[in-house]
């Protein structure tokens, strides 16, 4: 974990090197906002290539949650609906534990992603329909729900590996009154960066300062943003 106080110090130090930001009095609340904006941009950029780049995938491991049991909601003859975790960010893989009328033994059924929204076509297609024999079925994500094709399967449990949202960075302990509320009225929580690699923290602080610069000047070149975010995968 990289301490949030160090990130505030790093932000101010970097800002003081930028002519238009020198001696500007950033409040704790503002720095937290910029750091969170930068964190979200950084994570989203990494997620775009994590599936194809092992080093990027490794750098996101702190956000990976595995074999998470999802609560099952509505069940119809065709679909089983499981609720996504509140901190869900990106699907990595999912699977069900299910039996079938032909066999009462519960087996792991892997999920494959279906294209589009024509679930009936997949359920009726002999090559793609849910299959206990081949231990596979289709899924798609709609809103906060994982929709799993049921067919002949008696799905009893649903599990998912996923990237979770990073908790909101916050340093309310150092605010003017020792606390502050977010825009929705909830109190800000003291939260450091979960990433332990100082290089990742450096990139996030750089991006945060760049965001503050964009707010007060002409938009920076997008290539500069891409260059800094790409450093996180090295």
């Amino acid at each position: 974990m990289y301490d949030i106080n160090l990130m505030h110090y790093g932000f101010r130090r970097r800002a003081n090197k930028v002519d238009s930001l020198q001696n500007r009095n950033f409040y704790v609340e503002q720095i937290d906002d910029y750091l969170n904006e930068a964190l979200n941009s950084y994570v989203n950029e990494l997620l775009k290539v994590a599936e194809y780049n092992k080093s990027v995938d490794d750098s996101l491991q702190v956000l990976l949650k595995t074999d998470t049991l999802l609560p099952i909601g509505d069940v119809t003859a065709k679909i089983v609906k499981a609720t996504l975790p509140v901190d869900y960010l990106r699907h990595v893989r999912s699977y069900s534990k299910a039996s079938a009328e032909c066999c009462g033994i519960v087996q792991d059924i892997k999920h494959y992603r279906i294209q589009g929204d024509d679930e009936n076509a997949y359920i009726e297609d002999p090559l793609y329909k849910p299959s206990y024999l081949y231990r596979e079925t289709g899924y798609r994500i709609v809103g906060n729900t994982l929709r799993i094709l049921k067919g002949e399967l008696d799905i009893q449990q649903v599990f998912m590996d996923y990237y979770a949202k990073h908790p909101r960075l916050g340093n309310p302990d150092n605010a003017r009154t020792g606390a502050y509320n977010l825009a929705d009225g909830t109190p800000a929580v003291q939260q450091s960066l979960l990433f332990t690699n100082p290089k990742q923290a450096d990139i996030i602080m750089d991006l945060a300062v760049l965001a503050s610069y964009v707010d007060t000047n002409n938009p920076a070149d997008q290539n500069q943003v891409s260059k800094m975010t790409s450093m996180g995968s090295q």
Side-chain angles (χ1 to χ4, degrees):
M1 189 172 291
Y2 196 93
D3 189 86
I4 188 64
N5 289 291
L6 293 178
M7 298 195 75
H8 273 242
Y9 173 80
F11 175 93
R12 293 183 187 278
R13 181 173 60 81
R14 287 165 169 77
N16 283 335
K17 290 183 178 180
V18 181
D19 288 343
S20 59
L21 300 180
Q22 279 184 0
N23 301 318
R24 181 174 177 180
N25 185 26
F26 287 100
Y27 294 123
V28 166
E29 298 92 324
Q30 293 174 309
I31 298 176
D32 281 349
D33 275 345
Y34 283 127
L35 289 174
N36 279 287
E37 180 182 339
L39 171 63
N40 292 334
S41 296
Y42 174 70
V43 170
N44 287 333
E45 287 297 317
L46 293 187
L47 285 174
K48 291 178 182 178
V49 295
E51 184 177 351
Y52 313 103
N53 187 318
K54 177 60 176 167
S55 63
V56 171
D57 181 63
D58 288 343
S59 70
L60 288 169
Q61 288 301 301
V62 69
L63 300 181
L64 181 64
K65 295 189 177 182
T66 60
D67 296 316
T68 300
L69 178 64
L70 305 185
I72 293 177
D74 294 339
V75 178
T76 70
K78 296 180 178 180
I79 300 293
V80 170
K81 298 180 182 179
T83 304
L84 297 176
V86 294
D87 62 350
Y88 168 82
L89 180 61
R90 179 70 62 87
H91 178 279
V92 176
R93 76 174 184 117
S94 57
Y95 64 96
S96 298
K97 288 189 178 292
S99 59
E101 187 175 338
C102 65
C103 185
I105 300 175
V106 175
Q107 298 284 356
D108 287 352
I109 308 297
K110 68 180 180 181
H111 296 170
Y112 63 85
R113 188 163 193 162
I114 64 174
Q115 303 298 319
D117 59 0
D118 193 353
E119 295 167 344
N120 287 333
Y122 282 89
I123 292 174
E124 296 167 2
D125 191 315
L127 295 178
Y128 294 101
K129 67 180 182 180
S131 173
Y132 180 85
L133 176 62
Y134 293 107
R135 310 285 195 268
E136 65 179 12
T137 189
Y139 82 93
R140 69 188 186 103
I141 294 175
V142 180
N144 69 335
T145 301
L146 181 72
R147 296 171 60 91
I148 306 144
L149 304 187
K150 180 178 180 293
E152 68 174 3
L153 301 173
D154 179 14
I155 296 175
Q156 300 175 21
Q157 292 178 307
V158 178
F159 295 87
M160 174 185 281
D161 294 354
Y162 69 99
Y163 288 117
K165 298 174 184 176
H166 192 292
R168 186 185 187 279
L169 298 174
N171 195 18
D173 289 355
N174 283 337
R176 287 158 292 177
T177 61
Y180 72 87
N181 289 338
L182 304 179
D184 62 3
T186 59
V189 176
Q190 194 76 11
Q191 174 65 54
S192 293
L193 183 69
L194 296 182
F195 297 121
T196 59
N197 187 339
K199 186 175 182 180
Q200 292 174 292
D202 285 340
I203 294 170
I204 293 167
M205 288 182 284
D206 286 342
L207 288 172
V209 171
L210 181 58
S212 68
Y213 173 82
V214 170
D215 280 352
T216 56
N217 296 273
N218 293 325
D221 187 348
Q222 181 62 32
N223 289 332
Q224 187 175 358
V225 177
S226 299
K227 181 179 179 181
M228 285 194 290
T229 54
S230 65
M231 290 173 61
S233 63
Q234 298 177 359

